[in-house]
Amino acid sequence: MVAMGGGLDLPSREAENGKELVVCALPWPEEKVESGIKALKEAFRDVEVKYFHTKFANGKVEPVDVSDDILQRTAYLATLFWLPPSVSSIPSTKLIQFFSAGTNHIAQHPIYTDSKIPLCSANGIHGPQIAEWVIMMDLVHSHGYTKLYDAQKRKEWDQKMGMTVSDRVGKRVGILGYGSIGRQVAHVAKAMGMDVIAYTASPRKTAESKHDNGYIVPGTGDPEGTIPSTWYSGTTKEDVHNFLEQEIDLLVVAVPLTKTTTHLLSTPEFELLHKSNPRGTYITNIARGQIIDQKALITALEKGHISGAALDVTDPEPLPKDDPLWDAPNVLITPHVSGSTDVYADRAFQVLIENMKKEKSGGKLINEIDRERGY
């Protein structure tokens, strides 16, 4: 928790009615998040909420008009991608709660680089829907569904197309980045009879270190960290390669984007996957496009070094129409939507509420960003 200080020359963090000001700059019309705002007001009788609908489409953010007076009085800021222009514009802010899983998109902003305002992510709210996307894509691939759907559109009945199914029992899923999303993938995969192995940067050798201490959607994930049959860790190429050579059938890319993880998967890694599992590893990326060397991925797909790829993120975004990735064999691409769900905002508001409680009580914040590590 960071004490912001005070003095007669600083604006009051309280509104004229004596309530602390919570500014929400979010990409939904206000009526779509009424339940979240209601929950916030019920949790804190001493807050005032001002809502600003931020427009965002295909990677572009429209300007948001928030007056200087409001910014000066903002005690808590809830946002997805918008930030005020400078640190000095929000002198009373105690906490910024992002409604996104990562904050790499604002890592060069002065509020990130030059302030000590606690920044928290909404890590944990994406597990259910993204895990469903991962498993859906894996099943679409393993059941050859795209060919069957194409046959349906041609009004063609051909049973031979449906005879090359590979069910998931006994197959191995390797989760590169065992956070909240990876844990829910593990939860579902285990229920399907798959073996799960996990990879994290930091060693998790004790039972306590394997716990998930972030936000958890009730009934989901792997809170105690007991699902993986084996846990791998490290930050060197050798460590990563040790994990990748474990005959992985489904590789789930779920690490944050940092300098270390940029192009973490390239030609040597795809060749290693092929050598370890000649049946073919299927890769799903729900993290960030830059984690995979996209040119090397296309080559690996063309050479059959991996069996296919499902990508909800690309490099760049939006993916240009003339990019060769569109036409690569055995690839499925969605426009960064795997995290979408009709309860997204409600879950994110719950994280905001919990963090405001912890900030007020001096407790440890949920999902606080380590600026040096980048996540």
Side-chain angles (χ1 to χ4, degrees):
M1 183 175 68
V2 177
M4 297 305 295
L8 294 177
D9 58 336
L10 290 178
S12 171
R13 120 181 345 136
E14 296 185 352
E16 293 179 359
N17 58 11
K19 294 184 176 182
E20 290 189 309
L21 181 59
V22 181
V23 170
C24 299
L26 299 170
W28 302 278
E30 188 170 357
E31 60 270 18
K32 296 291 186 181
V33 297
E34 286 180 348
S35 59
I37 294 175
K38 180 182 178 183
L40 177 61
K41 291 180 176 179
E42 289 177 349
F44 305 99
R45 302 295 183 180
D46 62 342
V47 302
E48 173 191 3
V49 179
K50 287 193 178 296
Y51 192 89
F52 297 87
H53 181 196
T54 56
K55 305 293 180 62
F56 177 86
N58 293 329
K60 294 183 179 180
V61 184
E62 293 183 9
V64 182
D65 185 16
V66 182
S67 70
D68 290 340
D69 175 64
I70 289 175
L71 290 177
Q72 292 279 309
R73 295 190 290 111
T74 300
Y76 302 95
L77 173 61
T79 183
L80 185 61
F81 37 69
W82 175 83
L83 282 177
S86 66
V87 180
S88 60
S89 61
I90 49 172
S92 302
T93 300
K94 300 186 288 185
L95 169 71
I96 299 178
Q97 176 66 61
F98 287 90
F99 276 35
S100 56
T103 55
N104 62 287
H105 57 294
I106 52 88
Q108 303 306 314
H109 194 285
I111 289 176
Y112 189 102
T113 58
D114 302 335
S115 84
K116 293 183 179 180
I117 300 172
L119 311 175
C120 295
S121 76
N123 203 8
I125 73 171
H126 309 81
Q129 64 270 32
I130 294 184
E132 290 175 10
W133 184 94
V134 168
I135 297 300
M136 173 181 70
M137 290 300 192
D138 186 43
L139 292 177
V140 163
H141 173 71
S142 62
H143 285 250
Y145 179 71
T146 55
K147 293 180 180 179
L148 294 170
Y149 183 60
D150 288 341
Q152 176 190 334
K153 289 187 288 184
R154 295 192 301 267
K155 300 179 181 178
E156 180 181 309
W157 184 280
D158 185 354
Q159 287 186 326
K160 293 192 299 295
M161 288 185 179
M163 297 298 180
T164 56
V165 172
S166 173
D167 71 56
R168 301 294 84 193
V169 175
K171 302 301 191 298
R172 173 167 290 162
V173 53
I175 302 177
L176 189 61
Y178 202 62
S180 60
I181 294 169
R183 288 169 185 259
Q184 178 60 6
V185 172
H187 185 112
V188 179
K190 187 71 173 179
M192 294 170 61
M194 299 184 75
D195 176 48
V196 176
I197 61 174
Y199 183 95
T200 54
S202 302
R204 306 297 175 92
K205 296 182 179 180
T206 66
E208 181 63 29
S209 69
K210 295 178 181 180
H211 287 185
D212 184 356
N213 297 315
Y215 176 80
I216 303 173
V217 176
T220 71
D222 181 18
E224 306 300 321
T226 58
I227 291 177
S229 60
T230 312
W231 206 300
Y232 297 83
S233 63
T235 56
T236 68
K237 278 287 187 180
E238 182 179 359
D239 294 325
V240 175
H241 287 184
N242 184 36
F243 170 73
L244 295 177
E245 63 186 8
Q246 302 305 315
E247 197 174 347
I248 296 171
D249 295 291
L250 169 62
L251 177 63
V252 182
V253 181
V255 292
L257 178 63
T258 65
K259 290 182 180 180
T260 303
T261 61
T262 299
H263 285 190
L264 183 63
L265 300 179
S266 191
T267 299
E269 289 69 41
F270 297 134
E271 291 178 348
L272 183 60
L273 288 170
H274 176 60
K275 181 179 179 180
S276 169
N277 184 7
R279 295 189 305 272
T281 299
Y282 192 64
I283 296 176
T284 62
N285 187 6
I286 50 79
R288 292 293 184 268
Q290 297 94 321
I291 293 167
I292 294 179
D293 179 347
Q294 206 155 276
K295 290 183 179 179
L297 174 66
I298 294 171
T299 300
L301 289 165
E302 291 173 343
K303 289 184 175 181
H305 285 177
I306 56 176
S307 64
L311 310 171
D312 188 50
V313 289
T314 60
D315 182 19
E317 292 183 16
L319 188 66
K321 289 187 177 181
D322 60 352
D323 194 290
L325 183 64
W326 288 110
D327 298 315
N330 298 317
V331 65
L332 296 173
I333 301 171
T334 57
H336 206 149
V337 294
S338 66
S340 300
T341 176
D342 55 357
V343 292
Y344 187 107
D346 289 343
R347 288 177 183 161
F349 267 103
Q350 286 301 314
V351 181
L352 170 63
I353 290 169
E354 290 304 311
N355 270 333
M356 285 177 60
K357 289 179 179 178
K358 290 180 180 297
E359 193 281 329
K360 288 175 179 289
S361 66
K364 181 178 173 59
L365 297 173
I366 299 171
N367 300 336
E368 183 172 2
I369 301 300
D370 182 328
R371 283 169 163 87
E372 291 187 4
R373 297 182 69 179
Y375 57 93

